[in-house]
Amino acid sequence: MFDDVMKTKSDFYDKCPCATKILEFVDSIDDSDVRWFFHIGYCHFDENRYAIIFKSYDMPEYEDYVLSVEATYNDDDYILRIVKKVDNLLTSNE
């Protein structure tokens, strides 16, 4: 279970010490034809882990597009990974 929920982008910046790093990571994804926007985030303080969900454009043809990123603190840095990506492309979707 999670310890806290980040419902706004402001919450995300306030509660997640690696928010900027996560956003830069998301912006660097080059195998997608969509733009990702913060949707919701979950803090797991006891595990030093954050799970962030991004959605794409607020239009019917993009309603099922989702990107889930996890950040885990390890060895003085955050390790980022894509947990799930659904963007209607045939390559690299997990």
Side-chain angles (χ1 to χ4, degrees), residues 1 6 9 11 22 32-33 43 47 56 58 60 64 79:
M1 209 66 199
M6 299 169 278
K9 195 169 184 179
D11 285 346
I22 291 172
S32 184
D33 65 344
C43 305
E47 301 173 27
S56 190
D58 190 17
D64 295 328
I79 309 302

Side-chain angles (χ1 to χ4, degrees), residues 6 10-20 22 42-43 45 49-52 71 78:
M6 299 169 278
S10 179
D11 285 346
F12 176 49
Y13 279 112
D14 291 344
K15 297 178 181 179
C16 182
C18 57
T20 301
I22 291 172
Y42 301 96
C43 305
F45 296 125
R49 186 169 57 91
Y50 299 87
I52 311 300
Y78 284 94

Side-chain angles (χ1 to χ4, degrees), residues 35-39 53-57 63 65-67:
R35 179 136 189 243
W36 299 107
F37 303 95
F38 173 84
H39 180 68
I53 298 171
F54 295 86
K55 296 279 186 146
S56 190
Y57 305 105
E63 68 185 352
Y65 287 27
V66 65
L67 174 68

Side-chain angles (χ1 to χ4, degrees), residues 1-2 4 17-18 20-21 24 26 30-31 35 41-42 52 55 58 60 62 67-71 78 82-84 89:
M1 209 66 199
F2 53 87
D4 201 359
C18 57
T20 301
K21 186 172 183 171
E24 289 171 354
V26 168
D30 60 359
D31 67 345
R35 179 136 189 243
Y42 301 96
I52 311 300
K55 296 279 186 146
D58 190 17
Y62 293 97
L67 174 68
S68 175
V69 174
E70 179 181 79
Y78 284 94
I82 296 173
V83 177
K84 182 176 184 176
L89 295 177

